[in-house]
Amino acid sequence: EPVLVEVDSYDELIPSLLEGEGDVLVASMTVTPDRKRRVAFTTPVAVVTEQVVTRQDDDLSGPEGLAGRTIAVRESSSYWNTVQDLKEKHPGLTVKAVSEELDTEQILYRVAQGELDLTLADSNLVQAVSAYTPGLKAAFEVGGPRPWAWAVRPGAHELRKALDEFL
């Protein structure tokens, strides 16, 4: 029987797993090099692209329009490294760290409401949230396809194998 273990914020997921507070993160995490050094990932459950997201009435359509803009993401998210790279390539871009207690859906809602200027989110999440949150627009994609997967502790070989077979 699965037992749900909740954490207060997204940045607690991997540390909690590594401390043995759960066996698998069914959080559809983006597989990043840093995360791969810390946990083992299952076979991907999805492949997504990251998108810069703004309001529907915004004319932003590419990275050349990022000067003077502010993009908001959680520091613990896979988006953090991407926005740091964007800032390096487009020095006029400001990066704002938002509360770790906000999930990406809440950040997208705040962009739609005009509380935040821009954010970065995975394409499938942008599509899903846009269906019930009017006013959002994916301005452009950043980078190529990235896998989403579940995560287990590095030594959990049998569990990982069983999850891979299930998936």
Side-chain angles (χ1 to χ4, degrees):
E1 286 289 318
V3 176
L4 179 65
V5 178
E6 294 185 39
V7 296
D8 292 328
S9 61
Y10 197 84
D11 64 330
E12 294 178 31
L13 285 172
I14 291 176
S16 294
L17 176 73
L18 295 174
E19 290 170 11
E21 295 178 28
D23 296 307
V24 60
L25 296 180
V26 185
S28 299
M29 302 186 91
T30 303
V31 178
T32 65
D34 178 57
R35 289 176 177 165
K36 282 177 80 170
R37 285 189 287 277
R38 300 173 68 199
V39 297
F41 284 101
T42 63
T43 191
V45 296
V47 176
V48 299
T49 55
E50 293 177 325
Q51 298 176 324
V52 172
V53 182
T54 187
R55 287 167 306 289
Q56 190 69 44
D57 61 355
D58 192 330
D59 63 358
L60 181 66
S61 61
E64 63 282 345
L66 291 174
R69 305 297 297 264
T70 301
I71 192 164
V73 297
R74 289 183 320 275
E75 278 188 74
S76 67
S77 72
S78 60
Y79 313 130
W80 186 255
N81 288 335
T82 303
V83 297
Q84 296 302 320
D85 290 344
L86 274 175
K87 182 179 179 179
E88 191 174 301
K89 293 175 186 168
H90 306 280
L93 175 66
T94 300
V95 176
K96 176 182 180 177
V98 295
S99 170
E100 291 293 332
E101 294 179 6
L102 291 176
D103 63 29
T104 304
E105 183 177 348
Q106 292 168 314
I107 297 168
L108 287 165
Y109 179 78
R110 290 180 182 200
V111 169
Q113 296 301 305
E115 296 172 32
L116 296 172
D117 185 22
L118 306 170
T119 194
L120 191 71
D122 291 322
S123 52
N124 59 345
L125 186 56
V126 173
Q127 181 179 15
V129 172
S130 293
Y132 58 85
T133 305
L136 284 177
K137 174 181 94 171
F140 60 94
E141 292 186 350
V142 180
R146 296 170 61 147
W148 262 15
W150 296 353
V152 298
R153 284 185 295 283
H157 304 294
E158 288 183 37
L159 176 58
R160 181 178 172 206
K161 181 180 176 187
L163 290 168
D164 283 346
E165 289 173 5
F166 170 77
L167 294 170

